[in-house]
Amino acid sequence: MPRIVDHEQRRATIARSAALAIAEVGLEQATMREIAARSGVSKGIVEHYFANREEVIESALDWANARYVAREARRTRGLQGLEALRARLLCVLPLSAESREEWKIRLCFWSLAAVDPQARRTQRARLDQTRERFVADLEAARALGQIPAGTDAAAAANELIPLVAGLACDALLDPAYYSRAYQLAMIDRTLIRLDGRTAP
């Protein structure tokens, strides 16, 4: 009997392999041949499931983002306000091998988005979704009395986004200086300022 192939699973496997190839060797070196080898299939099989390399690469980013969102959902389950926001911020930062991989992939796409309008639109949509989750946490924190009643949740979220993005990039470039302890302390000082206390 012919072997039954789970086509969705195979697409997911190829997307995962493409994502990890990008994280390890960069966007330019993640060729169709390299992705096929890492997936354990022929280049022809990859081309059967994806119209072109661009579609494979897009699926790789989707895979990495889906993994991040699932982790974020697990770690924020049952939390509200500043507790949820802290957990969410820590999920973003490159504090584990998994999140470091995601940042390597993300940065490749950010460089592409700087020059490609379609990639920029896709990245902007993902940024909007991140901002919405930050705003929801801040609004909950305001309702719970964890931050001052006059706090502008949207403005605060817009300050957090470049903070964590910049911190993540610095941590990838100089992990010895921007250590885990440094990143945690930075997040905690930021949350202290949000709730109206003075950071030490």
Side-chain angles (χ1 to χ4, degrees):
M1 290 181 63
R3 186 163 61 92
I4 297 173
V5 175
D6 184 330
H7 296 292
E8 285 305 310
Q9 182 59 45
R10 178 161 280 180
R11 278 183 64 90
T13 296
I14 294 169
R16 175 184 181 277
S17 297
L20 297 182
I22 292 165
E24 187 176 329
V25 301
L27 195 57
E28 290 303 314
Q29 298 302 315
T31 62
M32 293 288 266
R33 194 172 301 282
E34 174 71 16
I35 292 164
R38 287 169 179 260
S39 303
V41 298
S42 68
K43 182 171 172 281
I45 292 291
V46 175
E47 291 168 341
H48 172 76
Y49 284 96
F50 296 92
N52 49 45
R53 181 173 177 270
E54 288 70 28
E55 190 176 309
V56 181
I57 297 304
E58 182 65 27
S59 75
L61 181 59
D62 288 341
W63 178 87
N65 278 318
R67 185 174 74 169
Y68 160 72
V69 169
R71 185 174 69 252
E72 183 190 71
R74 287 195 308 272
R75 295 191 184 174
T76 57
R77 189 173 295 124
L79 302 180
Q80 295 184 72
L82 291 185
E83 292 171 348
L85 180 60
R86 183 179 189 275
R88 205 176 303 282
L89 292 170
L90 297 186
C91 277
V92 175
L93 292 173
L95 295 171
S96 68
E98 195 172 88
S99 55
R100 282 191 294 275
E101 282 175 351
E102 289 157 6
W103 269 104
K104 290 175 184 178
I105 297 162
R106 197 172 285 129
L107 289 176
C108 286
F109 282 92
W110 283 7
S111 64
L112 179 62
V115 296
D116 181 88
Q118 178 55 45
R120 189 158 54 247
R121 283 190 291 272
T122 301
Q123 291 297 95
R124 190 183 303 132
R126 292 190 175 104
L127 182 61
D128 288 344
Q129 291 166 0
T130 297
R131 184 184 296 109
E132 287 167 7
R133 294 195 293 273
F134 286 0
V135 168
D137 289 337
L138 288 159
E139 288 175 342
R142 192 173 56 201
L144 291 165
Q146 295 174 337
I147 59 177
T151 300
D152 184 330
N158 281 329
E159 291 176 7
L160 289 172
I161 288 172
L163 169 72
V164 293
L167 184 54
C169 292
D170 288 341
L172 285 180
L173 293 172
D174 190 352
Y177 187 89
Y178 296 97
S179 63
R180 179 182 182 84
Y182 186 105
Q183 294 177 67
L184 294 176
M186 177 69 78
I187 293 304
D188 288 335
R189 283 197 300 270
T190 300
L191 295 178
I192 286 170
R193 285 193 291 271
L194 272 173
D195 76 9
R197 291 179 284 151
T198 302

